[in-house]
Amino acid sequence: ISGSMRGEELEILKNSIKHFVDLIPDDGTELCITAFNSRNHFISDFSTNKSVLKSKIDDLSAGGGTDFDAAFLNPMAGALLAVENGRFLNKSVIIITDGFASGDENKIISKGKSIKSRVFGILVNNEAPVILKNIFRETGGKSFDNIITESDYNESLRSLH
């Protein structure tokens, strides 16, 4: 997780993601969690076990820069690579970021479309930069901008459920 997400913002983020996990139906729906800064990391492979997912979320820490190629494309845990292996037809990526990064917009869009994955964004204290707006629009996702409070996060994540 990017170093800009330290402190209270990280704790709000963790609580909100755990709340989102609780909203996942107990119908076999799987959730995979990856994190990124200038590199990417698997936090949890696909799982239906809410306790395990929430425990792994508690262990998140912040540090380093931000790179959208790492977030979406780069091996091992680029989100679009991870979701490509999901066994369900409804494949979506939710990126939570402050938006201060760059990446190869065309490659990210192409990959998202090729695996039929929608990309949604939650932008912390910021509006989505052009690169993300284009990725969200072209993959059928959307953006939630200027998210600050835990209530903002929860409302945004609930609307994606």
Side-chain angles (χ1 to χ4, degrees):
I1 295 178
S2 171
S4 61
M5 293 295 293
R6 287 189 176 119
E8 184 180 359
E9 285 184 349
L10 180 60
E11 293 310 309
I12 290 171
L13 172 70
K14 288 180 187 182
N15 290 336
S16 298
I17 296 171
K18 289 188 291 186
H19 178 75
F20 179 74
V21 168
D22 285 333
L23 295 174
I24 301 297
D26 293 325
D27 63 358
T29 298
E30 295 180 314
L31 186 64
C32 170
I33 301 172
T34 65
F36 72 98
N37 47 32
S38 55
R39 298 185 329 225
N40 58 44
H41 316 276
F42 269 107
I43 304 304
S44 174
D45 201 350
F46 286 96
S47 177
T48 58
N49 187 321
K50 293 178 183 184
S51 296
V52 168
L53 290 165
K54 291 193 290 187
S55 173
K56 298 218 179 208
I57 291 163
D58 281 331
D59 293 336
L60 292 174
S61 62
T66 311
D67 181 310
F68 291 142
D69 287 341
F72 292 110
L73 298 173
N74 294 351
M76 291 293 299
L80 291 171
L81 297 180
V83 79
E84 182 175 28
N85 296 320
R87 59 188 173 110
F88 291 97
L89 296 177
N90 182 6
K91 298 178 181 183
S92 297
V93 168
I94 303 167
I95 182 173
I96 302 173
T97 178
D98 58 16
F100 298 114
S102 61
D104 189 327
E105 177 182 325
N106 292 328
K107 282 185 180 177
I108 295 168
I109 291 170
S110 177
K111 182 65 174 177
K113 286 181 169 183
S114 75
I115 64 169
K116 297 182 172 100
S117 177
R118 295 176 299 159
V119 179
F120 297 91
I122 295 179
L123 278 291
V124 180
N125 290 324
N126 203 5
E127 290 187 22
V130 172
I131 181 175
L132 289 179
K133 286 180 183 178
N134 292 340
I135 292 167
F136 303 150
R137 183 185 64 248
E138 291 296 321
T139 62
K142 69 184 269 185
S143 176
F144 300 89
D145 294 343
N146 294 306
I147 302 303
I148 298 170
T149 67
E150 191 167 333
S151 175
D152 293 340
Y153 276 105
N154 291 342
E155 184 178 325
S156 300
L157 289 166
R158 195 172 17 262
S159 74
L160 295 173
H161 180 261

